[in-house]
Amino acid sequence: MGCPSTSFFERCKKCKACCKAASSFVRIYVCRHEEDLIKLLRADGMDEAYITVPPSASCRFLGDDGCILGDIKPFQCRLYPLLILSDGSLGLDPACTYSGEYISRLSDHSSDARRHLEAMKREAATLTDKERQLLAEWSRYVCDIVKLY
């Protein structure tokens, strides 16, 4: 059976499950290269290093059509359903509604999932060791991660 023709990430925007906290706080790390996001958070009097999502709540930047931050959405959010692992490699969160489809699309080098993976690998390569370590903290809470690279 072939993959649906609808863009993976267009359907992702409709799901929004990853933008809603479960039973505990979620801290989204803001990388130092995300200057526009840092300026926005600073202007709003918010923490510049983390966006915190309270338990059983949605991210404050979640709108009806997905993230209202657009191009300045945090790297950690743009990375999803991928995660930075403690060894610096990338893994996939199997809890993502579309994780199976994401994996199946990786073999097609022109697919949106493959382009996403390649772009995230390039951006992850620019992170400092400290940033990788902070981003990898999230993966400690994910069971059955599928290691990709």
Side-chain angles (χ1 to χ4, degrees):
M1 183 166 115
C3 293
S5 60
T6 306
S7 164
F8 176 89
F9 294 102
E10 285 304 310
R11 283 183 295 110
C12 178
K13 285 182 194 178
K14 292 177 181 157
C15 172
K16 305 178 227 173
C18 59
C19 301
K20 299 172 184 166
S23 59
S24 62
F25 279 92
V26 172
R27 293 177 68 190
I28 300 164
Y29 178 70
V30 179
C31 299
R32 65 177 168 73
H33 71 279
E34 299 178 285
E35 296 168 4
D36 291 339
L37 177 56
I38 291 169
K39 287 177 191 172
L40 174 78
L41 296 173
R42 186 180 298 144
D44 284 346
M46 297 171 62
D47 185 341
E48 299 169 22
Y50 291 96
I51 295 171
T52 303
V53 182
S56 303
S58 295
C59 177
R60 72 182 76 218
F61 298 111
L62 179 62
D64 291 340
D65 295 321
C67 184
I68 63 171
L69 293 173
D71 292 341
I72 65 169
K73 181 178 2 180
F75 172 67
Q76 185 174 348
C77 298
R78 286 183 287 113
L79 182 67
Y80 199 79
L82 302 176
L83 304 167
I84 302 280
L85 305 182
S86 60
D87 65 0
S89 65
L90 293 178
L92 182 103
D93 184 353
C96 170
T97 304
Y98 301 113
S99 61
E101 181 185 337
Y102 186 94
I103 289 174
S104 71
R105 287 187 178 210
L106 290 178
S107 61
D108 176 357
H109 290 279
S110 66
S111 73
D112 48 358
R114 184 58 177 226
R115 287 190 310 272
H116 175 258
L117 172 64
E118 296 304 324
M120 295 300 98
K121 284 173 31 181
R122 284 189 301 275
E123 191 167 349
T126 69
L127 301 173
T128 65
D129 289 340
K130 180 68 173 173
E131 288 174 325
R132 277 190 213 89
Q133 180 183 38
L134 288 166
L135 288 166
E137 284 182 21
W138 176 251
S139 67
R140 294 182 319 167
Y141 304 104
V142 178
C143 297
D144 302 323
I145 291 174
V146 177
K147 191 168 182 177
L148 297 177
Y149 296 97

